[in-house]
């Protein structure tokens, strides 16, 4: 194969999703000569098939709920239904605008952008479109795809994954969702707002099982009030077609029938057949193994994003891509504290958190060293105005820093920024308590919670 570059690139990146394009932008900014290879569209899963389109659907659902509930605010409005082609036009317009902006950024940084399916051909080269791109360093960022269960065929007809769900041309009458994690709960929330009868099947004891148990229970309570049904603690056994849809059978003998089955059990790495093992890269269950600096066992190869076994979040991919670019440019870099990364489930209500769960904090620090406080949003004026319910839970090491912030309620994802600072700067409750939070805001609830934890509650009981 001919080398498409007259000189060797400083960095060749395989995959243009969140981690890959962030690395390309930062490396170029630092003076490195970069080639970015992407088989689909720059922006990857997050922009085209994940974060952005799902949140657009959820917002459309929020508007629908607002129309239904307008009388409760003294506003006369009628809800006439969901126009899915118009919803998709809105969603696709959001994606298109962001995509054009990202393309402009890539071009402005003078990054060599290559469209095509690349394959690692050596520890210092990637082959694509009959050309070989040589690099002093290679970054693997090939992302992930929706997973399934052995024996369960996702046909895109009645048994679908999140990619299919985002393009569905109608509002289904009923859906069983296999998986009660972030993806499953977000689709359940959006579809319920659209008018679908939804049942979630989760084999673990709680919805959003990676979150603090208190947050899971609050979400479950809210979903019950909304009429979202769920089955917890029993695993999927089989799915079969019926005359009108799908029947799902669980290990405990329960059966559920619906028009569609959405398989939302997570995402798996895209690594098979891409030459990683042949180049000597250490792998585990399809994931590329890296150290805290995103370095593989091969000195010239790094990896980031959903391809490595860290949190599968776009903002984690951004951070890992930036870390690799700065390391290659000779800068001193600090490993990412993954506990300090904000996590948000954009359901109605939202679940947002940063830091340690109560259970994890007790495991690390000891049960007698952990203090918790719950602040109910019922005492927050702005939340009352919005008619949202929920809670903020703080986890503190006794006489020390706040090590976990867990929030449930509408728009709590917008409050996780301050929560991130509280955790990452190891703030004491008294230090946060002396900061003045604007009134009336939902952000004020964070301040009130810390006032209470500092022993001087204002709008809450001792």
């Amino acid at each position: 194969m001919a080398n498409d570059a007259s000189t060797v690139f400083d960095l060749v990146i395989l995959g243009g999703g969140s981690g890959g394009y962030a690395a390309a932008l930062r490396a170029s900014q630092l003076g490195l000569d970069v080639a970015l290879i992407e088989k689909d569209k720059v922006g990857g899963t997050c922009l085209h098939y994940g974060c952005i389109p799902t949140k657009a659907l959820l917002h459309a659902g929020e508007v629908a709920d607002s129309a239904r509930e307008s009388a409760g605010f003294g506003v006369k409005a009628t809800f006439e239904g969901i126009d899915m082609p118009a919803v998709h036009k809105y969603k696709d317009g959001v994606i298109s605008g962001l995509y054009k902006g990202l393309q402009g950024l890539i071009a402005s940084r003078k990054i060599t952008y290559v469209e095509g399916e690349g394959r690692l051909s050596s520890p210092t080269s990637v082959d694509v479109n009959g050309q070989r791109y040589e690099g002093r360093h290679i970054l693997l960022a090939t992302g992930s795809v929706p997973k399934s269960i052995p024996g369960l065929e996702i046909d895109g007809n009645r048994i679908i994954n999140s990619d299919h769900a985002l393009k569905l041309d109608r509002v289904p009458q009923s859906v069983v969702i296999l998986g009660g994690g972030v993806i499953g709960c977000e689709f359940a929330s959006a579809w319920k707002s659209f008018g679908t009868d939804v049942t979630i099947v989760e084999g673990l004891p709680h919805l959003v099982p990676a979150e603090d148990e208190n947050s899971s229970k609050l979400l479950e309570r809210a979903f019950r009030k909304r009429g979202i049904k769920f089955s917890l603690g029993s695993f999927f056994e089989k799915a079969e077609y019926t005359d009108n849809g799908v029947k799902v059978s669980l290990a405990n003998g329960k059966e559920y029938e619906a028009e569609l089955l959405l398989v939302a059990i997570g995402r798996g790495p895209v690594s098979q057949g891409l030459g990683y093992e042949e180049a000597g890269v250490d792998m585990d269950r399809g994931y590329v193994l890296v150290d805290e600096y995103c370095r593989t066992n091969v000195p010239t190869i790094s990896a980031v994003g959903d391809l490595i076994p860290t949190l599968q979040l776009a903002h984690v991919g951004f951070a890992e891509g930036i870390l690799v670019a700065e390391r290659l440019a000779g800068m001193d870099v600090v490993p990412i504290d993954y506990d300090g990364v904000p996590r948000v489930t954009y359901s109605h209500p939202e679940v947002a958190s940063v830091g340690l769960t109560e259970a994890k904090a007790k495991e690390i620090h000891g049960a007698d060293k952990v203090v918790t406080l719950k602040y109910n949003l019922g005492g927050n004026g702005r939340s009352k105005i919005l008619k949202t319910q929920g809670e903020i839970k703080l986890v503190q090491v006794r006489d020390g820093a706040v090590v976990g912030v867990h929030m449930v309620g509408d728009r709590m994802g917008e409050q996780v920024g301050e929560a991130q600072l509280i955790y990452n700067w190891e703030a004491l409750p008294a230090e946060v308590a002396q900061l003045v939070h604007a009134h009336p805001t939902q952000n004020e609830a964070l301040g009130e919670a810390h006032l209470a934890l500092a022993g001087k509650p204002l709008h809450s009981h001792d």
Side-chain angles (χ1 to χ4, degrees):
M1 283 193 182
N3 190 343
D4 192 55
S6 57
T7 58
V8 176
F9 289 94
D10 294 314
L11 177 61
V12 175
I13 302 170
L14 182 54
S18 301
Y21 85 69
L25 291 172
R26 183 64 178 133
S28 175
Q29 195 176 51
L30 292 170
L32 301 185
D33 192 16
V34 180
L36 178 62
I37 298 163
E38 169 56 46
K39 68 177 182 179
D40 188 7
K41 296 177 181 176
V42 68
T45 295
C46 174
L47 176 53
H48 300 285
Y49 314 107
C51 318
I52 300 303
T54 54
K55 279 44 168 188
L57 290 184
L58 282 157
H59 183 64
E62 182 183 348
V63 173
D65 287 333
S66 295
R68 287 190 191 95
E69 299 160 6
S70 63
F73 299 90
V75 177
K76 293 181 178 180
T78 57
F79 174 72
E80 297 180 9
I82 303 295
D83 179 350
M84 279 312 295
V87 170
H88 286 310
K89 182 179 179 181
Y90 151 67
K91 167 180 65 72
D92 294 342
V94 173
I95 295 168
S96 177
L98 292 170
Y99 179 44
K100 287 176 183 175
L102 182 55
Q103 288 175 304
L105 265 178
I106 297 290
S108 72
R109 299 283 173 87
K110 295 182 170 53
I111 294 162
T112 299
Y113 182 68
V114 183
E115 289 187 6
E117 188 163 356
R119 187 180 187 278
L120 188 67
S121 49
S122 81
T124 56
S125 64
V126 174
D127 292 348
V128 58
N129 298 337
Q131 300 288 340
R132 176 158 292 170
Y133 293 81
E134 297 278 354
R136 295 182 178 87
H137 201 88
I138 304 294
L139 176 60
L140 307 179
T142 43
S144 63
V145 290
K147 288 196 298 188
S148 186
I149 293 172
L152 177 59
E153 182 186 352
I154 297 174
D155 56 21
N157 182 13
R158 299 185 196 177
I159 302 175
I160 64 174
N161 61 27
S162 57
D163 288 352
H164 303 124
L166 287 170
K167 298 174 182 176
L168 207 59
D169 60 359
R170 67 192 188 283
V171 176
Q173 288 188 336
S174 57
V175 177
V176 171
I177 297 176
L178 181 56
V182 174
I183 297 170
C185 286
E186 288 187 348
F187 273 104
S189 189
W191 270 329
K192 184 62 182 179
S193 296
F194 288 171
T196 302
D197 181 41
V198 179
T199 301
I200 304 171
V201 172
E202 170 56 56
L204 295 175
H206 290 290
L207 297 180
V208 287
E211 294 289 345
D212 188 271
E213 187 174 316
N214 185 67
S215 294
S216 295
K217 289 179 177 178
L218 287 168
L219 182 64
E220 288 160 15
R221 185 188 308 166
F223 272 15
R224 283 192 199 98
K225 288 184 70 174
R226 293 188 62 197
I228 296 173
K229 300 181 288 290
F230 46 88
S231 169
L232 303 174
S234 185
F235 287 95
F236 169 87
E237 196 165 76
K238 65 178 180 177
E240 52 195 330
Y241 271 27
T242 64
D243 290 342
N244 301 312
V246 183
K247 182 169 72 174
V248 176
S249 303
L250 306 187
N252 63 4
K254 289 185 178 179
E255 295 179 342
Y256 299 92
E257 292 194 29
E259 180 185 334
L260 296 175
L261 169 62
L262 169 65
V263 181
I265 59 169
R267 300 181 64 86
V270 175
S271 58
Q272 191 172 3
L274 295 178
Y276 297 171
E277 291 97 333
E278 292 88 335
V281 176
D282 280 349
M283 312 278 290
D284 179 32
R285 296 171 295 115
Y287 290 100
V288 171
L289 299 180
V290 296
D291 66 8
E292 68 269 32
Y293 295 100
C294 297
R295 298 178 296 201
T296 72
N297 61 305
V298 179
T300 54
I301 300 176
S302 297
V304 297
D306 288 0
L307 182 62
I308 65 176
T310 55
L311 291 170
Q312 290 188 327
L313 298 168
H315 43 289
V316 167
F318 295 150
E320 290 168 345
I322 291 167
L323 182 150
V324 169
E326 293 183 346
R327 171 169 57 78
L328 294 178
M331 298 176 65
D332 290 330
V333 294
V334 177
I336 296 165
D337 175 3
Y338 290 97
D339 287 329
V341 171
R343 306 171 293 269
V344 184
T345 302
Y346 294 87
S347 51
H348 167 46
E350 292 182 350
V351 180
S353 64
V354 67
L356 307 178
T357 64
E358 179 181 353
K360 187 69 174 178
K362 287 179 175 178
E363 181 184 318
I364 293 172
H365 299 287
D368 60 330
K369 296 285 175 54
V370 173
V371 177
T372 64
L373 179 134
K374 297 176 184 176
Y375 179 82
N376 194 293
L377 293 183
N380 176 255
R382 183 65 174 163
S383 296
K384 278 285 198 185
I385 291 166
L386 295 171
K387 291 195 173 188
T388 187
Q389 297 178 333
E391 202 168 79
I392 292 176
K393 176 179 176 179
L394 304 179
V395 180
Q396 178 199 13
V397 175
R398 189 179 298 279
D399 300 323
V402 173
V403 296
V405 181
H406 305 276
M407 303 178 285
V408 178
D410 289 344
R411 308 189 187 185
M412 285 297 105
E414 300 301 326
Q415 308 310 320
V416 81
E418 183 181 2
Q420 177 185 213
L421 298 179
I422 289 166
Y423 170 84
N424 284 288
W425 288 348
E426 301 178 351
L428 301 174
E431 292 172 329
V432 182
Q434 70 184 13
L435 301 175
V436 180
H437 292 74
H439 174 77
T441 62
Q442 288 186 289
N443 180 243
E444 183 182 18
L446 261 178
E448 292 266 1
H450 284 82
L451 279 166
L453 192 55
K456 49 180 183 180
L458 185 58
H459 295 102
S460 61
H461 297 290
D462 292 334

